[in-house]
Amino acid sequence: MLFCYWRFVFAQSQIGVIMAEFYMTQAGYDKIRKELDHMEHDLMPDILERIAAARDEGDLSENAEYHGARESLALLEARMSELRYKLSVAEIVDSSNLPTDEVAFGCTVRVKDLDYDEEETLTLVGSGEEDTRNGRILATSPLACGLMGKKVGEIAEVNVPAGLLRFEILEITRD
């Protein structure tokens, strides 16, 4: 079962929008929701207050604080829009329904890099949960897609921009 946990849905619309579905766990969804709530209820009011205070100072054409606050507002609104989009197309995956004997979404896999003779432990996660420093990689990444469907003892050959990587699957666990 080789499934890369993302797909594009071509939606009929006036502007021809392509919609992506983001697969994530409930924890990933909750993390994004919490970040969005923080932006809406904590950061946004602060920025709006800064804009109002700067506007009260008079001439806006030369008011650096006003322009800085407006720029902060634009960046915050862009990030909030991105998070709202992810939440709107999120597909919550119940990893307990996925196979336990092969690499799949939500599993932790211990691999041996055959070229460098080093072991790594990777957890394949959804959007909002990635943390490469701690071995949590997106299930849609080229590396994760190359590992998907492999079983213990199998060799995964993964084409990445840097070349061909070869890994032996040593262990697969689920939390």
Side-chain angles (χ1 to χ4, degrees):
M1 172 179 141
L2 183 59
F3 181 57
C4 226
Y5 297 99
W6 64 274
R7 67 178 176 197
F8 288 101
V9 178
F10 295 96
Q12 295 287 337
S13 73
Q14 293 175 335
I15 56 174
V17 173
I18 297 175
M19 206 187 253
E21 289 182 346
F22 290 93
Y23 289 86
M24 61 181 71
T25 62
Q26 185 64 49
Y29 184 92
D30 293 343
K31 180 180 174 185
I32 291 174
R33 181 76 243 166
K34 184 178 178 183
E35 182 181 354
L36 182 60
D37 287 343
H38 172 68
M39 290 176 173
E40 289 175 337
H41 299 105
D42 298 329
L43 300 179
M44 180 69 81
D46 289 345
I47 292 174
L48 293 175
E49 190 176 298
R50 284 179 36 213
I51 291 172
R55 188 179 295 136
D56 289 343
E57 291 178 12
D59 185 14
L60 298 180
S61 64
E62 295 182 17
N63 188 331
E65 187 168 327
Y66 173 78
H67 292 289
R70 294 284 301 176
E71 185 176 327
S72 295
L73 178 63
L75 292 171
L76 181 65
E77 287 176 336
R79 177 71 177 144
M80 288 170 56
S81 177
E82 176 187 355
L83 294 179
R84 283 187 190 110
Y85 173 75
K86 282 184 177 183
L87 292 175
S88 73
V89 296
E91 191 74 30
I92 306 297
V93 175
D94 181 7
S95 60
S96 65
N97 296 331
L98 297 174
T100 56
D101 64 335
E102 64 185 42
V103 178
F105 182 86
C107 77
T108 299
V109 59
R110 191 167 54 90
V111 297
K112 179 178 182 180
D113 186 325
L114 297 176
D115 296 323
Y116 294 100
D117 199 34
E118 294 177 355
E119 287 187 17
E120 278 187 79
T121 301
L122 304 168
T123 303
L124 283 56
V125 298
S127 182
E129 297 177 275
E130 65 272 15
D131 181 3
T132 54
R133 289 183 184 159
N134 292 313
R136 299 176 64 81
I137 63 171
L138 279 174
T140 57
S141 69
L143 176 56
C145 287
L147 297 174
M148 292 283 183
K150 300 293 185 201
K151 297 182 180 199
V152 173
E154 291 186 344
I155 305 295
E157 292 186 346
V158 183
N159 281 313
V160 295
L164 182 69
L165 303 175
R166 297 177 325 119
F167 297 97
E168 179 182 358
I169 309 299
L170 301 176
E171 180 183 21
I172 301 169
T173 58
R174 293 224 174 258
D175 294 335

